[in-house]
Amino acid sequence: MSSVLLIRVVTILLAAAAGACTLVHKTIESDNGDLIDCVDMYQQPALKNISPGRRQIQAKPEMSMEAVVMAANASRSSMVRARQQIWWKHGSCPAGTVPILRASGRANPEVAELVRRASPFGRPAGSALWDTSEAMDTPTGKVEVAAAYSTNGPFLGARADIPYWRIDVHPGEFSMNYILIGYTLDTNYVPMPGSKPPADLTNQIAVGLVAWPSLFGDSLSRLFVYYTTDGGVHNNCFNLDCGGFHLHQSSFALGDAWRDSDSQVGGERFGVTVSIHRGPADLNWWVSVMDQEIGYYPETIFNTRFPQAVYVEMGGRVLNTRPGGNHTTTPMGNGIPSCAGSRFAATIMEFSGINFNGVLFNDNAHRTIATSPSCYGANPMGFGRTRPGYNVAYGGPGGIFCDQADG
């Protein structure tokens, strides 16, 4: 491949699975081989099964995340914000289109599909993960969690800086860094400071960075969104799966990575600011990156009510496939144990909740989940001295430490 990549400005028709056609106005090839198609906004996957006359996209949220941040004077971050994804070096999508990453020829879609069905976020009703130290069994291995959480709601969303690290992930596995909101249908559950999390979280939305070779063909940390409407029992939807996420015109493509943004242990740290929110009267849940809305989940995709969040979680997850019965060395975070603190370990920075007035507030996420604590841990670091928000170090190296803990 030439060191100088050309932007291929083309108008082509791509055959879709349903036999319809998708109008691609422009294709951009990035340095790492990713192909970003600039697709007509009204022909994106979420709208493909809707008749043309009824295709609608909400133009903007009731309150933008940028406005929420400005009102709280919280726009700056203690991390260096990773501004541009790799594909932006070679162009941008024109007005009226949305960026969509093409499936990589280097990926293993069969393995990725098995993992997607394995509920890396959702929890079957009554699993009570918070009261056990057991990782979640899936058909492809165990999902191990090290995270902090809060039930100090109800919430209309959450915002945090997710660290960007370059790591090496074992084939068939993933390593995630994320924030998540969830809602229970238990009408007797009341979120309040100190309350236990509900036994099940029927509706969930997550956003963050994931290194997932079988899905993307490499171990770069890439932007993802996720939702489930049944606690992850059957419905586990990543990025544009299931047609639930409505893309908004933005500078960020789901599934793409950032350029020149690798954090250094003990040195400069790069982060991606992400949030999930809705306004007091807005029925859609918006996802933002760098305080720019990239799309939303409409209320109609949830089979039941999702008026608020009662639970917020932040940290890391790893799928461990245990080849030959041994734990692999797939790292969580940057692979450094959370006890090393925020200067060395991966750290969620400046987490804030969003209250029912649509205002950012300092939320204390000091309680933790660690399914294999001697392998992957979570260490609440408290509120920053000069910046608002709560900080949580997390992660670990995997490997023999996990097997010792299991034994």
Side-chain angles (χ1 to χ4, degrees):
M1 182 181 298
S2 169
S3 60
V4 178
L5 296 173
L6 299 178
I7 303 174
R8 297 180 295 163
V9 182
V10 293
T11 300
I12 58 177
L13 293 177
L14 297 177
C21 291
T22 300
L23 185 62
V24 177
H25 291 267
K26 179 178 180 179
T27 297
I28 301 172
E29 186 174 8
S30 65
D31 288 346
N32 65 335
D34 285 350
L35 293 175
I36 302 291
D37 289 323
C38 300
V39 176
D40 185 285
M41 182 180 294
Y42 291 94
Q43 293 190 334
Q44 62 175 288
L47 303 179
K48 69 179 182 180
N49 293 324
I50 301 175
S51 61
R54 300 184 61 189
R55 292 176 182 173
Q56 295 182 342
I57 295 288
Q58 185 176 341
K60 60 182 181 179
E62 175 191 356
M63 58 180 192
S64 71
M65 181 50 59
E66 185 177 28
V68 172
V69 170
M70 289 180 65
N73 193 28
S75 59
R76 293 191 304 158
S77 170
S78 55
M79 286 183 176
V80 179
R81 300 179 92 198
R83 291 286 181 182
Q84 291 187 339
Q85 289 183 314
I86 296 174
W87 66 283
W88 258 69
K89 180 180 178 180
H90 298 286
S92 59
C93 283
T97 67
V98 291
I100 296 180
L101 176 70
R102 279 196 210 174
S104 171
R106 307 183 303 273
N108 189 330
E110 292 81 10
V111 172
E113 180 60 21
L114 286 175
V115 174
R116 276 195 290 248
R117 294 176 183 173
S119 185
F121 278 109
R123 309 181 186 101
S127 62
L129 172 64
W130 304 272
D131 296 326
T132 74
S133 59
E134 294 295 324
M136 291 180 286
D137 286 311
T138 76
T140 54
K142 290 180 178 290
V143 175
E144 308 204 42
V145 184
Y149 68 88
S150 168
T151 57
N152 302 327
F155 305 89
L156 285 188
R159 176 182 185 262
D161 288 343
I162 305 294
Y164 192 97
W165 291 93
R166 186 179 292 269
I167 58 174
D168 186 21
V169 176
H170 191 276
E173 300 184 346
F174 62 68
S175 183
M176 293 177 169
N177 313 272
Y178 65 93
I179 62 171
L180 172 147
I181 66 170
Y183 178 69
T184 182
L185 296 183
D186 181 357
T187 57
N188 293 320
Y189 181 78
V190 179
M192 64 180 64
S195 64
K196 287 187 175 182
D200 70 282
L201 294 169
T202 305
N203 296 325
Q204 300 174 41
I205 298 172
V207 58
L209 302 173
V210 60
W212 191 347
S214 60
L215 183 60
F216 298 112
D218 56 38
S219 287
L220 293 175
S221 290
R222 295 168 176 268
L223 177 66
F224 81 91
V225 294
Y226 164 91
Y227 83 99
T228 182
T229 62
D230 64 359
V233 177
H234 301 294
N235 186 37
N236 292 282
C237 300
F238 281 87
N239 290 349
L240 302 182
D241 293 349
C242 315
F245 191 67
H246 287 51
L247 289 169
H248 203 260
Q249 186 169 338
S250 77
S251 305
F252 302 102
L254 291 175
D256 204 48
W258 270 259
R259 66 184 182 97
D260 304 325
S261 298
D262 294 335
S263 298
Q264 303 297 319
V265 175
E268 195 169 45
R269 295 169 298 171
F270 288 86
V272 178
T273 304
V274 298
S275 60
I276 308 163
H277 83 287
R278 57 172 284 250
D282 198 339
L283 298 179
N284 299 327
W285 286 98
W286 288 82
V287 176
S288 298
V289 177
M290 305 304 188
D291 300 323
Q292 176 187 139
E293 283 78 21
I294 66 168
Y296 63 90
Y297 289 108
E299 63 157 345
T300 53
I301 69 167
F302 296 99
N303 303 323
T304 55
R305 298 176 65 247
F306 196 171
Q308 63 193 32
V310 298
Y311 176 82
V312 176
E313 181 180 299
M314 67 218 70
R317 296 193 178 213
V318 163
L319 173 65
N320 169 40
T321 57
R322 300 191 63 81
N326 299 312
H327 199 290
T328 67
T329 56
T330 291
M332 180 187 293
N334 62 0
I336 295 177
S338 62
C339 59
S342 59
R343 180 163 174 76
F344 300 101
T347 305
I348 302 288
M349 302 291 288
E350 298 180 21
F351 156 68
S352 296
I354 300 175
N355 67 20
F356 245 68
N357 294 318
V359 176
L360 287 171
F361 71 97
N362 277 337
D363 188 20
N364 190 341
H366 66 280
R367 289 177 291 172
T368 62
I369 306 162
T371 57
S372 297
S374 63
C375 172
Y376 305 120
N379 185 15
M381 304 301 296
F383 296 102
R385 294 181 179 179
T386 59
R387 298 292 306 150
Y390 201 82
N391 305 318
V392 179
Y394 65 97
I400 60 173
F401 300 102
C402 302
D403 284 338
Q404 290 175 350
D406 291 343

